[in-house]
Amino acid sequence: MIILNGGSSSGKTGIVRCLQAVLPQPWLAFGVDSFIEALPAKLQASDAGLDIAADGTVNVGEEFRALEAAWTEGIVAMARAGARIVVDDVFLGGAASQQRWQKALGDVGALWVGVRCDSAVAAGRETARGDRVQGMAALQADAVHEGVVYDLEVDTTRTESLVCAHTIAAQVR
């Protein structure tokens, strides 16, 4: 498995698409955005589920965490079954989020990749996207990396996704 962590609008999804193109074997991609889209409507904008405040602050509740744990275990089960998987995630809890993945992984190996981007650049991308609450990218740019240990870090501030993907692919065994 390859697990990418970075704030909103840092460029993770673009890197994942490029990784799928440059890696010689097929890799399945799973991202936190698709997990959130899969949540029932009643858990979106909910204290029990996911709530994104007007300033971009993200709060998650107990039901979100329970479903997130099941989602994580399911992805790891596919890796145990032989699938190559790349995950695009946002470690809102920093080191605690990485620990949840480590617990689920057990003996399954993972390449931990930090995806960094200057907060002003990420905020500009956020505005251009138009599908994010303004302020989320700036709030997450550094916070998601707090206490997280990586095998490799890339910075998309001035580096294209394809270059980052090649850097990551060079580390895949």
Side-chain angles (χ1 to χ4, degrees):
M1 285 185 64
I2 303 170
I3 301 176
L4 280 71
N5 172 50
S8 179
S9 299
S10 63
K12 298 178 305 298
T13 303
I15 292 171
V16 168
R17 288 188 186 118
C18 290
L19 274 169
Q20 288 181 302
V22 303
L23 287 166
Q25 302 88 7
W27 285 70
L28 296 174
F30 294 96
V32 68
D33 288 345
S34 56
F35 166 67
I36 290 169
E37 289 170 8
L39 291 173
K42 68 182 178 181
L43 288 185
Q44 298 189 20
S46 155
D47 288 342
L50 176 73
D51 182 51
I52 302 174
D55 68 353
T57 302
V58 179
N59 297 298
V60 297
E62 288 182 33
E63 290 186 41
F64 178 95
R65 285 286 181 227
L67 290 171
E68 179 188 43
W71 177 75
T72 302
E73 292 285 344
I75 290 172
V76 172
M78 287 186 283
R80 283 189 201 294
R84 293 173 195 85
I85 297 177
V86 59
V87 174
D88 157 359
D89 206 344
V90 179
F91 289 0
L92 292 174
S97 297
Q98 184 178 39
Q99 290 165 359
R100 283 193 290 276
W101 272 105
Q102 288 169 328
K103 180 181 176 190
L105 285 164
D107 62 350
V108 174
L111 178 68
W112 298 93
V113 180
V115 179
R116 294 192 181 265
C117 182
D118 178 79
S119 63
V121 172
R125 291 176 187 169
E126 178 179 71
T127 299
R129 289 174 73 157
D131 67 347
R132 296 286 193 259
V133 174
Q134 295 297 301
M136 192 180 330
L139 287 171
Q140 294 176 3
D142 293 321
V144 300
H145 300 290
E146 290 179 11
V148 179
V149 177
Y150 298 112
D151 298 308
L152 174 68
E153 293 188 43
V154 294
D155 190 324
T156 65
T157 303
R158 290 179 197 81
T159 306
E160 294 296 323
S161 296
L162 184 57
V163 174
C164 292
H166 279 291
T167 300
I168 297 165
Q171 299 298 311
V172 176
R173 296 174 187 95

